Amino acid sequence: MSFNHYQFHKGVDVYQDVFEDVEKTLSILKKSEDQGSPLFGKWDKWYDFGSILRIPKIDDCDTEECKVYKELHKIFIDVCKDYIERNNHTDFFNSNKWQVTEPSVCKYFPDAGVGYGGLAMDYHTDYQNEFEGEPGWKYGFTATMYLNDDYGGGEVDFYDGKNVISFKPKAGDVTVFPSGSPDIDPTNRYMHGVFLAKDNPKYFVRMHYQYWKDGSEEYNKGLEKYGQESWSNMLKSEYTEIRNKFHKANGPSHLTERIVK
Protein backbone atom coordinates (compact mmCIF):
# COMPACT_ATOMS: atom_id res chain seq x y z
CA MET A 1 0.00 0.00 0.00
CA SER A 2 1.24 3.48 -0.86
CA PHE A 3 0.26 6.43 1.32
CA ASN A 4 1.27 9.88 2.43
CA HIS A 5 2.48 10.20 6.00
CA TYR A 6 3.33 12.91 8.48
CA GLN A 7 3.79 13.05 12.23
CA PHE A 8 1.15 15.36 13.65
CA HIS A 9 2.69 15.32 17.12
CA LYS A 10 5.26 13.11 18.81
CA GLY A 11 3.83 9.59 18.73
CA VAL A 12 0.71 10.62 16.77
CA ASP A 13 1.09 9.81 13.07
CA VAL A 14 -1.32 10.65 10.25
CA TYR A 15 -1.73 8.59 7.07
CA GLN A 16 -3.49 9.87 3.97
CA ASP A 17 -4.53 8.47 0.58
CA VAL A 18 -5.07 4.99 2.01
CA PHE A 19 -8.69 4.54 0.90
CA GLU A 20 -9.48 3.68 -2.69
CA ASP A 21 -12.68 5.75 -2.44
CA VAL A 22 -13.55 6.94 1.07
CA GLU A 23 -16.92 8.36 -0.02
CA LYS A 24 -17.95 4.98 -1.43
CA THR A 25 -16.79 3.21 1.73
CA LEU A 26 -18.88 5.57 3.84
CA SER A 27 -21.93 5.18 1.60
CA ILE A 28 -21.86 1.39 2.01
CA LEU A 29 -21.57 1.71 5.78
CA LYS A 30 -24.38 4.28 5.89
CA LYS A 31 -26.56 1.97 3.80
CA SER A 32 -26.24 -0.63 6.56
CA GLU A 33 -27.36 2.04 9.03
CA ASP A 34 -30.41 3.03 6.96
CA GLN A 35 -31.52 -0.36 5.68
CA GLY A 36 -30.00 -2.84 8.12
CA SER A 37 -27.47 -5.50 7.21
CA PRO A 38 -27.52 -9.25 7.96
CA LEU A 39 -23.75 -9.29 7.41
CA PHE A 40 -22.70 -6.22 9.41
CA GLY A 41 -25.37 -6.50 12.10
CA LYS A 42 -27.26 -3.62 13.67
CA TRP A 43 -26.20 -0.19 14.85
CA ASP A 44 -26.46 0.32 18.61
CA LYS A 45 -26.70 3.34 20.85
CA TRP A 46 -23.25 4.72 21.71
CA TYR A 47 -23.51 6.35 25.11
CA ASP A 48 -25.47 9.61 24.78
CA PHE A 49 -23.61 11.08 21.85
CA GLY A 50 -24.02 8.73 18.94
CA SER A 51 -24.45 5.27 17.50
CA ILE A 52 -22.02 2.47 16.77
CA LEU A 53 -21.75 -0.52 14.43
CA ARG A 54 -19.55 -3.28 15.82
CA ILE A 55 -18.75 -5.29 12.72
CA PRO A 56 -18.33 -9.01 13.51
CA LYS A 57 -15.68 -11.26 12.01
CA ILE A 58 -16.72 -11.93 8.40
CA ASP A 59 -15.74 -15.00 6.41
CA ASP A 60 -14.54 -14.56 2.86
CA CYS A 61 -17.21 -13.51 0.35
CA ASP A 62 -17.51 -11.15 -2.59
CA THR A 63 -20.18 -8.61 -1.61
CA GLU A 64 -19.52 -4.86 -1.41
CA GLU A 65 -19.76 -5.12 2.38
CA CYS A 66 -17.08 -7.83 2.45
CA LYS A 67 -14.84 -5.61 0.33
CA VAL A 68 -15.24 -2.79 2.86
CA TYR A 69 -14.43 -5.18 5.72
CA LYS A 70 -11.27 -6.37 3.93
CA GLU A 71 -10.28 -2.80 3.08
CA LEU A 72 -10.53 -1.66 6.72
CA HIS A 73 -8.41 -4.60 7.91
CA LYS A 74 -5.78 -4.02 5.22
CA ILE A 75 -5.53 -0.32 6.00
CA PHE A 76 -5.18 -1.07 9.70
CA ILE A 77 -2.45 -3.70 9.26
CA ASP A 78 -0.46 -1.63 6.74
CA VAL A 79 -0.46 1.69 8.58
CA CYS A 80 0.19 0.08 11.99
CA LYS A 81 3.11 -1.91 10.61
CA ASP A 82 4.62 1.31 9.29
CA TYR A 83 3.85 3.17 12.53
CA ILE A 84 5.39 0.51 14.79
CA GLU A 85 8.58 0.41 12.74
CA ARG A 86 8.78 4.17 12.30
CA ASN A 87 8.34 4.85 16.03
CA ASN A 88 10.71 2.12 17.27
CA HIS A 89 8.10 -0.14 18.90
CA THR A 90 9.21 -3.25 17.01
CA ASP A 91 10.92 -4.94 19.98
CA PHE A 92 7.87 -4.49 22.22
CA PHE A 93 5.56 -5.68 19.46
CA ASN A 94 7.60 -8.78 18.65
CA SER A 95 7.93 -9.79 22.32
CA ASN A 96 4.17 -9.86 23.04
CA LYS A 97 1.08 -11.79 21.99
CA TRP A 98 -1.28 -9.60 19.94
CA GLN A 99 -4.77 -9.61 18.48
CA VAL A 100 -6.59 -7.19 16.15
CA THR A 101 -10.02 -5.93 17.18
CA GLU A 102 -12.78 -5.98 14.58
CA PRO A 103 -13.79 -2.61 13.10
CA SER A 104 -16.23 -0.40 14.98
CA VAL A 105 -17.95 2.28 12.91
CA CYS A 106 -18.77 5.25 15.14
CA LYS A 107 -21.14 8.12 14.54
CA TYR A 108 -21.24 11.34 16.56
CA PHE A 109 -24.61 13.08 16.44
CA PRO A 110 -24.41 16.86 15.93
CA ASP A 111 -24.15 18.78 19.21
CA ALA A 112 -24.33 15.58 21.27
CA GLY A 113 -21.94 14.67 24.06
CA VAL A 114 -20.79 15.71 27.49
CA GLY A 115 -21.05 19.35 26.41
CA TYR A 116 -18.78 21.03 28.96
CA GLY A 117 -15.83 22.79 27.43
CA GLY A 118 -17.33 22.13 24.01
CA LEU A 119 -16.49 18.42 24.23
CA ALA A 120 -18.45 15.48 22.89
CA MET A 121 -16.15 13.05 24.74
CA ASP A 122 -13.99 14.07 27.69
CA TYR A 123 -10.23 13.47 27.83
CA HIS A 124 -9.47 9.77 28.24
CA THR A 125 -7.15 6.95 27.22
CA ASP A 126 -8.25 3.88 25.28
CA TYR A 127 -6.13 1.84 27.66
CA GLN A 128 -8.29 1.46 30.78
CA ASN A 129 -5.94 2.15 33.65
CA GLU A 130 -8.29 0.79 36.33
CA PHE A 131 -8.10 -2.72 34.82
CA GLU A 132 -4.30 -2.81 34.70
CA GLY A 133 -4.01 -5.59 37.30
CA GLU A 134 -6.51 -7.90 35.64
CA PRO A 135 -5.35 -10.59 33.22
CA GLY A 136 -6.58 -10.07 29.69
CA TRP A 137 -6.19 -8.19 26.44
CA LYS A 138 -4.93 -4.63 26.89
CA TYR A 139 -5.15 -1.83 24.34
CA GLY A 140 -1.76 -1.24 22.75
CA PHE A 141 -2.17 0.83 19.58
CA THR A 142 -5.19 2.72 18.26
CA ALA A 143 -6.00 3.48 14.63
CA THR A 144 -8.82 5.88 13.79
CA MET A 145 -10.04 6.16 10.19
CA TYR A 146 -12.04 9.31 9.44
CA LEU A 147 -14.74 8.89 6.81
CA ASN A 148 -16.17 12.40 6.36
CA ASP A 149 -15.42 16.03 7.11
CA ASP A 150 -18.67 17.78 6.14
CA TYR A 151 -19.31 18.95 9.70
CA GLY A 152 -18.17 21.80 11.87
CA GLY A 153 -16.07 21.25 14.98
CA GLY A 154 -15.15 17.62 15.67
CA GLU A 155 -11.49 18.36 16.46
CA VAL A 156 -9.48 15.76 18.36
CA ASP A 157 -7.21 17.15 21.08
CA PHE A 158 -4.17 15.25 22.34
CA TYR A 159 -2.70 16.14 25.72
CA ASP A 160 1.03 15.50 26.12
CA GLY A 161 1.30 16.54 29.77
CA LYS A 162 2.15 20.14 28.88
CA ASN A 163 0.02 21.31 25.99
CA VAL A 164 -3.17 20.34 24.21
CA ILE A 165 -2.50 19.83 20.50
CA SER A 166 -5.60 20.09 18.32
CA PHE A 167 -6.13 18.00 15.18
CA LYS A 168 -8.92 18.58 12.65
CA PRO A 169 -9.31 15.35 10.64
CA LYS A 170 -10.08 15.31 6.93
CA ALA A 171 -12.05 12.58 5.17
CA GLY A 172 -9.68 9.69 4.52
CA ASP A 173 -7.20 10.58 7.28
CA VAL A 174 -6.01 7.75 9.52
CA THR A 175 -4.35 8.49 12.86
CA VAL A 176 -2.25 5.93 14.75
CA PHE A 177 -1.00 6.38 18.31
CA PRO A 178 -0.37 4.34 21.47
CA SER A 179 -3.60 3.61 23.34
CA GLY A 180 -2.13 4.80 26.64
CA SER A 181 -0.46 1.68 28.00
CA PRO A 182 2.39 2.45 30.42
CA ASP A 183 4.16 -0.61 29.01
CA ILE A 184 4.54 1.23 25.70
CA ASP A 185 5.14 4.81 26.83
CA PRO A 186 5.12 5.55 30.58
CA THR A 187 5.86 9.25 30.00
CA ASN A 188 2.85 10.04 27.78
CA ARG A 189 -0.52 8.34 28.20
CA TYR A 190 -1.92 9.89 24.99
CA MET A 191 -5.02 11.31 26.62
CA HIS A 192 -7.35 12.73 24.03
CA GLY A 193 -10.71 14.46 23.93
CA VAL A 194 -13.17 15.03 21.08
CA PHE A 195 -15.07 18.23 20.36
CA LEU A 196 -18.72 18.40 19.42
CA ALA A 197 -19.57 17.90 15.76
CA LYS A 198 -21.75 20.65 14.33
CA ASP A 199 -24.43 20.67 11.62
CA ASN A 200 -23.81 17.09 10.37
CA PRO A 201 -22.84 13.73 11.92
CA LYS A 202 -19.19 12.71 12.14
CA TYR A 203 -18.29 9.16 11.02
CA PHE A 204 -15.10 7.25 11.72
CA VAL A 205 -13.81 3.70 12.20
CA ARG A 206 -11.68 2.64 15.14
CA MET A 207 -9.54 -0.50 15.41
CA HIS A 208 -6.91 -1.55 17.92
CA TYR A 209 -3.97 -3.82 18.45
CA GLN A 210 -4.40 -5.51 21.83
CA TYR A 211 -1.65 -7.35 23.68
CA TRP A 212 -2.03 -10.04 26.33
CA LYS A 213 -1.02 -9.31 29.90
CA ASP A 214 -1.11 -11.71 32.85
CA GLY A 215 -2.83 -10.55 36.00
CA SER A 216 -0.88 -8.96 38.86
CA GLU A 217 0.04 -10.98 41.93
CA GLU A 218 -2.39 -8.92 44.02
CA TYR A 219 -5.28 -9.46 41.62
CA ASN A 220 -4.67 -13.19 41.33
CA LYS A 221 -4.49 -13.61 45.12
CA GLY A 222 -7.85 -11.87 45.48
CA LEU A 223 -9.32 -13.99 42.72
CA GLU A 224 -8.14 -17.17 44.41
CA LYS A 225 -9.46 -16.05 47.81
CA TYR A 226 -12.87 -14.66 46.85
CA GLY A 227 -13.77 -16.13 43.45
CA GLN A 228 -14.48 -14.25 40.22
CA GLU A 229 -17.94 -12.81 40.96
CA SER A 230 -17.27 -11.66 44.53
CA TRP A 231 -13.82 -10.28 43.68
CA SER A 232 -15.19 -8.34 40.71
CA ASN A 233 -17.94 -6.83 42.84
CA MET A 234 -15.45 -5.88 45.54
CA LEU A 235 -13.29 -4.05 43.00
CA LYS A 236 -16.06 -1.98 41.34
CA SER A 237 -15.87 1.03 43.65
CA GLU A 238 -12.07 0.85 43.71
CA TYR A 239 -11.96 0.88 39.90
CA THR A 240 -14.17 3.97 39.77
CA GLU A 241 -11.87 5.74 42.23
CA ILE A 242 -8.75 4.73 40.29
CA ARG A 243 -10.26 5.95 37.01
CA ASN A 244 -11.36 9.29 38.43
CA LYS A 245 -8.01 9.90 40.12
CA PHE A 246 -6.11 8.99 36.96
CA HIS A 247 -8.11 11.35 34.76
CA LYS A 248 -7.85 14.17 37.27
CA ALA A 249 -4.09 13.72 37.66
CA ASN A 250 -3.28 13.21 33.98
CA GLY A 251 -5.77 15.35 32.09
CA PRO A 252 -5.44 19.01 31.09
CA SER A 253 -6.86 21.87 33.14
CA HIS A 254 -8.70 24.96 31.91
CA LEU A 255 -5.34 26.79 32.05
CA THR A 256 -3.59 24.38 29.66
CA GLU A 257 -2.49 26.00 26.42
CA ARG A 258 -4.29 24.67 23.34
CA ILE A 259 -2.21 24.63 20.15
CA VAL A 260 -4.10 24.33 16.86
CA LYS A 261 -2.01 22.83 14.07
Side-chain angles (χ1 to χ4, degrees):
M1 172 184 284
S2 61
F3 45 70
N4 290 325
H5 163 273
Y6 70 93
Q7 188 167 76
F8 162 72
H9 189 55
K10 184 180 179 181
V12 184
D13 290 22
V14 180
Y15 295 85
Q16 298 174 318
D17 300 323
V18 294
F19 284 91
E20 183 175 338
D21 185 341
V22 69
E23 290 184 6
K24 182 178 180 181
T25 297
L26 177 58
S27 70
I28 293 168
L29 293 169
K30 289 173 71 173
K31 189 188 300 184
S32 76
E33 180 183 20
D34 297 334
Q35 302 176 8
S37 167
L39 194 64
F40 280 170
K42 66 183 183 68
W43 289 69
D44 296 314
K45 181 180 179 183
W46 187 35
Y47 298 105
D48 293 324
F49 43 67
S51 57
I52 187 168
L53 173 65
R54 297 178 176 90
I55 299 177
K57 181 173 173 34
I58 296 174
D59 295 327
D60 193 33
C61 59
D62 198 33
T63 66
E64 62 179 11
E65 290 179 332
C66 277
K67 291 177 182 177
V68 166
Y69 175 82
K70 292 176 184 177
E71 177 185 42
L72 295 176
H73 269 275
K74 178 170 175 48
I75 290 172
F76 176 83
I77 294 297
D78 287 349
V79 299
C80 285
K81 181 177 184 295
D82 180 85
Y83 175 88
I84 288 165
E85 292 175 352
R86 192 184 294 271
N87 289 276
N88 300 315
H89 294 304
T90 305
D91 288 345
F92 180 81
F93 189 84
N94 289 340
S95 62
N96 286 277
K97 179 181 177 182
W98 294 86
Q99 70 174 11
V100 177
T101 64
E102 296 297 341
S104 289
V105 188
C106 304
K107 174 184 179 180
Y108 280 111
F109 299 145
D111 295 304
V114 296
Y116 52 84
L119 294 168
M121 184 181 287
D122 200 3
Y123 292 91
H124 65 285
T125 67
D126 296 339
Y127 182 92
Q128 295 169 289
N129 185 70
E130 63 271 27
F131 300 124
E132 194 165 314
E134 289 192 13
W137 293 101
K138 309 298 181 183
Y139 289 106
F141 298 99
T142 296
T144 308
M145 311 173 197
Y146 295 96
L147 303 177
N148 70 317
D149 54 19
D150 57 342
Y151 53 85
E155 298 91 348
V156 183
D157 280 6
F158 289 90
Y159 179 55
D160 64 3
K162 295 180 180 178
N163 300 307
V164 168
I165 317 298
S166 185
F167 171 68
K168 175 73 172 183
K170 298 177 182 178
D173 283 354
V174 179
T175 58
V176 185
F177 55 94
S179 304
S181 165
D183 298 318
I184 294 175
D185 189 346
T187 65
N188 186 351
R189 301 304 289 270
Y190 295 91
M191 295 196 76
H192 53 286
V194 184
F195 277 76
L196 296 169
K198 303 286 186 179
D199 303 320
N200 289 310
K202 174 183 175 181
Y203 288 89
F204 65 94
V205 176
R206 65 182 185 190
M207 295 180 68
H208 301 89
Y209 262 125
Q210 293 179 320
Y211 69 101
W212 180 263
K213 193 171 182 179
D214 293 332
S216 67
E217 183 178 355
E218 180 184 1
Y219 179 87
N220 288 325
K221 282 182 178 179
L223 183 64
E224 183 179 354
K225 183 176 181 179
Y226 299 108
Q228 181 68 67
E229 184 175 356
S230 295
W231 187 224
S232 294
N233 288 333
M234 292 167 67
L235 290 172
K236 280 182 180 178
S237 60
E238 181 179 337
Y239 282 175
T240 300
E241 184 178 353
I242 291 172
R243 180 172 62 251
N244 291 340
K245 283 184 176 179
F246 174 80
H247 286 183
K248 185 176 181 179
N250 293 279
S253 74
H254 67 283
L255 299 175
T256 304
E257 183 179 2
R258 184 167 182 253
I259 300 172
V260 179
K261 286 192 175 181

